C-alpha cells in the first residue's frame, strides 16, 4: 500500500497527533478519530520527560536518543509554543551498593555516547542548591534531557491537520472495520462510517483491542499511571535542570519532580509495586510531603489535580510499529515512552505509510514478532 490519499488516524494522543501532523504536512488527507477529547488520556498523565536514559537494549536507546534530538526541529515545524524546556536531569544514590550499580549504568551510557557524567556531591549542591541530597554516595547529571507539554504538542499538531484540510472527530469510538479484500475500506464509529484507503491505530492502551478486530493479537500489558499537579510555586523549582529523580536504592516512595511552564509542579511517585496517587487525594498529599524531603520549597504546596490513566505498555516493553500482517493498509503504533518518541514515530510512520518503504531503524519493532 503506497501513496494513500485519505488516512484515518485512530487516537488523538501525542503519538497519533504526530503521525497525523506528518501525514497532513506531506499532502495526505487526514481524519483523526478520538474516543474522548485529544490529549486527555495517557498523554495528559505523562511525566513528559524527554530522555534516553533507562532504555534497553542499545537499539531502543538509540531510537529514543535520535528522537530526543528531533524535538527542536519538531517544535520549529509546529510553529507554536509547546512548553519545551531543556536543562538535563539529576539523580543520586544513598547506599554503596546502589552506587556500584549506578556507576555501571553511567559507564554503559557513556559507551553508548549519551551525555551523562558522575559529579561530586559538592558540584551537585552548587548546581542545584535547592535540592536536599542528604549524604549521596553518587550523583549523575545529564545536560541533554528536557520536558514538554503534551497537550500543547497535540493541539499544535491537530491545528496543523485542520489547516491542511483534515478533520478531528472527538467523543467518537471505533466499532468495526469494513474490508475490501484484505484492506480496510471504511471505519465504522459510534457516530458515522468513514471511507479511507489507509488507517493508523494509535489509540494508546486501547490499541491491542482495536488491532484484534483486524485479526492481530498480542498481550495487553498496560498499567495504571498517575501524576499529581500542585498549585503554583512562586520560585523556580530548580536552578538549571529540567527534572529530578530521588534515590532508587532507599526503598519506600520514589519521587520524580519537574516544574511546568506556568509554575505548577508535577510529581510522579510510587513504589516498585504501583504508581501512587491513582486512588485518593490522601496519596497525592503524601507525595507532596515526600517531595518536600528533597525539595523544601514545595513544602507548602497544595494538590490542584490528580491525573490518572492507563499507560500503553507492549508485552516486551518495546514499541510495536508497522503495517499489520493481516491488513496491509493498517499501520499500528503502540508504545511506552510516547512523549520522547513522538517526533521519530510520527516522521518515520508517515514515511512508511506514504511510500511503502520499511525503514531500517524501525525494523526491530514490527508487529510480526508477536505472530
Amino acid at each position: 500500500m503506497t501513496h494513500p490519499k485519505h488516512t484515518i488516524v485512530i487516537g488523538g494522543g501525542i503519538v497519533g497527533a504526530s503521525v497525523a501532523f506528518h501525514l497532513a504536512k506531506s499532502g495526505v488527507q487526514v481524519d483523526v478519530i478520538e474516543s474522548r477529547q485529544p490529549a486527555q488520556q495517557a498523554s495528559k498523565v505523562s511525566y513528559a520527560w524527554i530522555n534516553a536514559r533507562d532504555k534497553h537494549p542499545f537499539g531502543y536507546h538509540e531510537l529514543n536518543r535520535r528522537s530526543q534530538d528531533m524535538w527542536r526541529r519538531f517544535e520549529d515545524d509546529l510553529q507554536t509554543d509547546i512548553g519545551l524546556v531543556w536543562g538535563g536531569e539529576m539523580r543520586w544514590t544513598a547506599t554503596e551498593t546502589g552506587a556500584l550499580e549506578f556507576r555501571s549504568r553511567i559507564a554503559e551510557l557513556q559507551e553508548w555516547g549519551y551525555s551523562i557524567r558522575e559529579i561530586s556531591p559538592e558540584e551537585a549542591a552548587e548546581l542545584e542548591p535547592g535540592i536536599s541530597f542528604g549524604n549521596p554516595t553518587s550523583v549523575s547529571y545529564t545536560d541533554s534531557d528536557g520536558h514538554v507539554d503534551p497537550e500543547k504538542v497535540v493541539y499544535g499538531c491537530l491545528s496543523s491537520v485542520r489547516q491542511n484540510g483534515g478533520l478531528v472527530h472527538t467523543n467518537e469510538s471505533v466499532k468495526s472495520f469494513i474490508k475490501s479484500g484484505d484492506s480496510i475500506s471504511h471505519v465504522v464509529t459510534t457516530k458515522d462510517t468513514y471511507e479511507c484507503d489507509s488507517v493508523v491505530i494509535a489509540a494508546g492502551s486501547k490499541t491491542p483491542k482495536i488491532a484484534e478486530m483486524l485479526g492481530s493479537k498480542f498481550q495487553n500489558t498496560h498499567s495504571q499511571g498517575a501524576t499529581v499537579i500542585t498549585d503554583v510555586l512562586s520560585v523556580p523549582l530548580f536552578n538549571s535542570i529540567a527534572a529530578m529523580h530521588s534515590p532508587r536504592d532507599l526503598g519506600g516512595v520514589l519521587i520524580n519532580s519537574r516544574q511546568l511552564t506556568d509554575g505548577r509542579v508535577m510529581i510522579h511517585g510510587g513504589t516498585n509495586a504501583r504508581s501512587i496517587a491513582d486512588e485518593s487525594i490522601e496519596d497525592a498529599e503524601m507525595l507532596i510531603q515526600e517531595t518536600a524531603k528533597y525539595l523544601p520549597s514545595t513544602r507548602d504546596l497544595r494538590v490542584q489535580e490528580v491525573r490518572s490513566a492507563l499507560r500503553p505498555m507492549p508485552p516486551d516493553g518495546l514499541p510495536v510499529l508497522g503495517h499489520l500482517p493481516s491488513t496491509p493498509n493498517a499501520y499500528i503504533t503502540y508504545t511506552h515512552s510516547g512523549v520522547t518518541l513522538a517526533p521519530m514515530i510520527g516522521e518515520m510512520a508517515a514515511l512508511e505509510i506514504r511510500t511503502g518503504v520499511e525503514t531500517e531503524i524501525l525494523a526491530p519493532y514490527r508487529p510480526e514478532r508477536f505472530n
Side-chain angles (χ1 to χ4, degrees):
M1 177 69 196
T2 59
H3 306 296
K5 295 180 180 179
H6 186 191
T7 297
I8 289 179
V9 176
I10 302 169
I14 194 167
V15 173
S18 178
V19 176
F21 166 77
H22 284 92
L23 283 170
K25 188 175 71 166
S26 65
V28 178
Q29 173 72 27
V30 178
D31 280 13
V32 177
I33 297 175
E34 165 55 44
S35 63
R36 299 183 188 177
Q37 291 294 314
Q40 296 305 298
Q41 299 186 63
S43 293
K44 183 173 183 176
V45 173
S46 172
Y47 186 58
W49 173 34
I50 301 170
N51 77 100
R53 173 163 180 148
D54 297 318
K55 312 296 169 70
H56 287 87
F58 172 73
Y60 182 50
H61 165 86
E62 187 66 11
L63 184 75
N64 279 268
R65 190 173 71 166
R66 288 182 61 176
S67 191
Q68 184 179 3
D69 292 341
M70 294 169 70
W71 264 102
R72 288 181 175 87
R73 176 160 57 86
F74 192 27
E75 180 184 38
D76 290 342
D77 288 346
L78 287 171
Q79 298 182 336
T80 188
D81 170 39
I82 57 173
L84 185 60
V85 175
W86 299 102
E89 180 258 6
M90 195 175 287
R91 67 177 68 181
W92 64 99
T93 59
T95 66
E96 291 300 334
T97 300
L100 289 173
E101 297 175 358
F102 203 59
R103 290 180 181 123
S104 175
R105 178 58 178 154
I106 291 172
E108 180 180 51
L109 286 168
Q110 288 173 336
E111 289 173 2
W112 289 357
Y114 200 51
S115 179
I116 186 171
R117 62 189 176 94
E118 183 177 8
I119 61 176
S120 68
E122 292 76 20
E123 184 179 358
E126 183 177 351
L127 285 170
E128 292 297 336
I131 298 178
S132 294
F133 292 97
N135 296 302
T137 52
S138 62
V139 184
S140 73
Y141 171 67
T142 67
D143 58 11
S144 60
D145 296 0
H147 57 75
V148 73
D149 186 330
E151 291 183 86
K152 289 183 177 180
V153 176
V154 169
Y155 282 101
C157 287
L158 298 184
S159 175
S160 180
V161 167
R162 292 186 180 99
Q163 290 170 15
N164 282 285
L167 298 173
V168 179
H169 308 273
T170 60
N171 300 311
E172 193 165 349
S173 299
V174 173
K175 291 176 61 180
S176 63
F177 299 95
I178 299 173
K179 281 189 169 184
S180 176
D182 290 335
S183 297
I184 297 169
S185 61
H186 296 78
V187 177
V188 181
T189 74
T190 49
K191 293 183 179 180
D192 209 338
T193 298
Y194 302 97
E195 188 175 4
C196 62
D197 53 20
S198 69
V199 171
V200 178
I201 306 172
S205 62
K206 299 183 181 71
T207 295
K209 183 176 180 180
I210 295 173
E212 191 171 349
M213 297 180 191
L214 297 169
S216 291
K217 295 184 179 181
F218 49 89
Q219 185 180 0
N220 194 345
T221 57
H222 55 253
S223 61
Q224 194 77 19
T227 49
V228 174
I229 308 298
T230 74
D231 52 6
V232 172
L233 180 65
S234 60
V235 297
L237 184 62
F238 302 120
N239 187 44
S240 62
I241 62 173
M244 181 214 80
H245 296 79
S246 69
R248 267 53 182 160
D249 55 340
L250 283 177
V253 179
L254 312 177
I255 296 295
N256 308 324
S257 301
R258 69 179 185 88
Q259 191 166 29
L260 306 182
T261 54
D262 62 9
R264 294 180 297 165
V265 175
M266 172 179 277
I267 303 168
H268 174 265
T271 65
N272 291 329
R274 71 179 181 95
S275 178
I276 292 177
D278 53 18
E279 296 176 357
S280 69
I281 195 68
E282 289 77 14
D283 273 350
E285 291 172 343
M286 181 273 291
L287 279 184
I288 294 179
Q289 294 172 9
E290 291 293 323
T291 301
K293 295 178 182 178
Y294 306 107
L295 295 165
S297 63
T298 65
R299 184 174 293 111
D300 296 325
L301 293 178
R302 297 290 179 266
V303 176
Q304 185 179 88
E305 182 183 358
V306 179
R307 301 174 178 176
S308 180
L310 288 175
R311 299 175 295 188
M313 181 63 74
D316 59 3
L318 300 176
V320 186
L321 305 168
H323 289 96
L324 292 177
S326 62
T327 311
N329 69 337
Y331 193 100
I332 188 171
T333 65
Y334 182 53
T335 187
H336 191 55
S337 299
V339 169
T340 296
L341 290 172
M344 172 66 77
I345 292 177
E347 188 169 312
M348 293 298 101
L351 175 65
E352 294 192 337
I353 292 164
R354 286 190 298 105
T355 66
V357 171
E358 292 195 345
T359 60
E360 185 66 26
I361 194 168
L362 299 189
Y365 311 110
R366 302 303 181 192
E368 286 88 346
R369 72 183 191 271
F370 297 111
N371 294 305

